[in-house]
Every structure is written in C-alpha cells, then in structure tokens.
Amino acid sequence: FRSKIKNTANGMSVEYTIVADSEANMRDKKIGASTPIAKGLLGHKVGDIVEIKVPAGLMKFEIESISI
C-alpha cells in the first residue's frame, strides 16, 4: 500500500509505497515491509500520530493518507 506521512518535527511530507523487501527501492520511494518506518505504520489509520524508532532516534509522523 501507499502512505503519505508528515514529519511532525519539521512539517515535511513524504509518500512511500510499502512493498516486499525484495522489491524495495528508495529511489522510487518503495520501502520494504520489514523496515522500521513500514512496521511503525502498519495497523494505523489516517490522522494517527505514530512514533517510530529509526537509526537517528525516535521520530513522530502523522499519517496523512493511505491508499492501495
């Protein structure tokens, strides 16, 4: 699925497509299902604020849209 998320710290939005790990390609904004961001988004809905632990630390994102 495709998800648009906004970093609550800096207001920047980015759109990712969550795919099988073997299809991941950051240049095309396709992230593997086992990545921290993908795992943090799964099970949430539009409007939710999620905290995701990434190598740089804990980040908060607001889910702006989800599509299939």
Side-chain angles (χ1 to χ4, degrees):
F1 70 90
R2 189 166 202 76
S3 182
K4 184 175 181 182
I5 57 175
K6 179 172 66 175
N7 182 324
T8 61
N10 63 18
M12 291 183 62
S13 293
V14 66
E15 196 167 345
Y16 289 116
T17 301
I18 298 175
V19 297
D21 291 333
S22 61
E23 298 175 22
N25 182 332
M26 282 303 292
R27 184 178 28 172
D28 294 333
K29 296 188 179 175
K30 294 180 180 181
I31 58 174
S34 68
T35 62
I37 291 176
K39 286 181 178 180
L41 295 175
L42 293 175
H44 293 278
K45 62 186 184 309
V46 173
D48 284 354
I49 304 242
V50 295
E51 291 185 345
I52 300 173
K53 187 174 182 178
V54 296
L58 193 63
M59 298 181 75
K60 288 184 181 181
F61 295 97
E62 178 181 354
I63 300 174
E64 296 185 306
S65 68
I66 299 172
S67 60
I68 298 176

